[in-house]
Amino acid sequence: MKTLTFGTLNSGDYGVYISGSGAFNAPARVYQMLDVAGRSGQLTIDDGRYANIEVKYQAGVYGHSRAEFASKMRAFRSAMGALIGYQRLSDDYNADEFRLGIFSGGIAVSAMTALRLATFELTFNCKPQRFLVSGETPVTFAADGTITNPTEYDAKPMLQISGTGTVGIGDYSMTIQGTSGQTIYIDCDIMEAWTLSGGAKVNANDLVQ
C-alpha cells in the first residue's frame, strides 16, 4: 500500500493510504497567445516558466471498529489542517522526487462501507518543480569542477561559496568578493545571496557580481 508525506505528516501513521494517477501529472508551460489582425492563428510568446499544478490523490482509511475509524479520521483531518502554506510533498510512487505544495482541497468523505472503509480525495496546489532527493546531497569543490543536471529542465541550484573568484553556472558566471573564511549562500532560484551571523541571514547581494 502506498502512502504520502506532507510536511512532517506521513499518511500511513493515520492508516491513510493512497492511489491514483495524479502523482504522475506534469505542469503546463505558460505562453502568451497573441492575435494579429489579418493573420490566421495566434502567435505565442514563451514566458519561460510553468504554472502551478493541482495534484490529486485518491485516499482511503479503514477502521477495525467505528470508534477506531472515527478516531483515525479526526486525527488525520486535524494534522492536515495544521500544516499551513507550502510544505514538502512526496509519495511512494515517486520516491526519488518531492514537490512543494499547499493542501488546498479539504477532506470530503465520498464513500463509506459497512466494513468501515472510507474513501476521499486529497488535493494539493503544487509548485511546478519536481525536486530530486539526490539534489539535497551537497557537491563540494576546492577548485574548478562541474555540476551535472541529470534532467531535461533548467536547474537553479543553491550554492555555498567561500573566498573570492569566478563561478560559472551553465552559460552564466558570477564574481564572488567574499573574504577568507566567509561563506556566501546563493539561491539561484530567487537570485539572493546572504551570509550568516549568529544564525541570522545578512544580505550579501553586493558581494556577488
Side-chain angles (χ1 to χ4, degrees):
M1 292 185 287
K2 307 293 187 181
T3 64
L4 64 79
T5 299
F6 182 59
T8 57
L9 176 154
N10 182 274
S11 64
D13 294 340
Y14 300 85
V16 175
Y17 298 94
I18 62 167
S19 65
S21 59
F24 299 95
N25 291 349
R29 195 169 181 91
V30 177
Y31 293 92
Q32 297 181 44
M33 308 300 292
L34 303 178
D35 291 310
V36 178
R39 180 169 179 169
S40 297
Q42 291 180 307
L43 297 180
T44 62
I45 297 177
D46 182 4
D47 276 0
R49 64 186 182 91
Y50 292 84
N52 268 25
I53 181 172
E54 190 173 74
V55 178
K56 294 184 178 182
Y57 297 92
Q58 300 301 317
V61 62
Y62 172 77
H64 292 284
S65 67
R66 184 175 296 276
E68 182 188 23
F69 168 81
S71 176
K72 286 181 177 179
M73 286 301 302
R74 283 195 297 268
F76 183 68
R77 288 198 308 264
S78 177
M80 289 293 289
L83 294 169
I84 307 300
Y86 281 108
Q87 304 284 336
R88 181 176 176 135
L89 174 66
S90 60
D91 60 64
D92 289 343
Y93 291 102
N94 303 284
D96 58 341
E97 301 173 341
F98 65 92
R99 301 177 186 267
L100 294 176
I102 297 171
F103 180 52
S104 58
I107 297 177
V109 176
S110 58
M112 181 172 176
T113 71
L115 296 175
R116 296 173 292 280
L117 172 66
T119 59
F120 47 90
E121 191 170 71
L122 298 174
T123 301
F124 299 87
N125 186 309
C126 295
K127 291 187 177 183
Q129 302 94 330
R130 289 176 182 263
F131 299 93
L132 294 176
V133 173
S134 61
E136 296 183 292
T137 301
V139 179
T140 302
F141 298 102
D144 290 350
T146 301
I147 299 175
T148 300
N149 176 6
T151 76
E152 299 298 323
Y153 296 95
D154 292 340
K156 298 178 180 179
M158 175 76 76
L159 307 176
Q160 299 180 27
I161 300 174
S162 298
T164 63
T166 300
V167 177
I169 302 292
D171 297 328
Y172 301 91
S173 65
M174 63 186 79
T175 300
I176 311 301
Q177 300 174 336
T179 59
S180 177
Q182 180 186 48
T183 298
I184 299 175
Y185 300 84
I186 304 171
D187 187 332
C188 294
D189 186 24
I190 62 175
M191 294 185 290
E192 290 287 341
W194 65 89
T195 59
L196 294 178
S197 177
K201 288 185 177 181
V202 178
N203 187 284
N205 288 340
D206 59 331
L207 301 180
V208 181
Q209 304 297 326

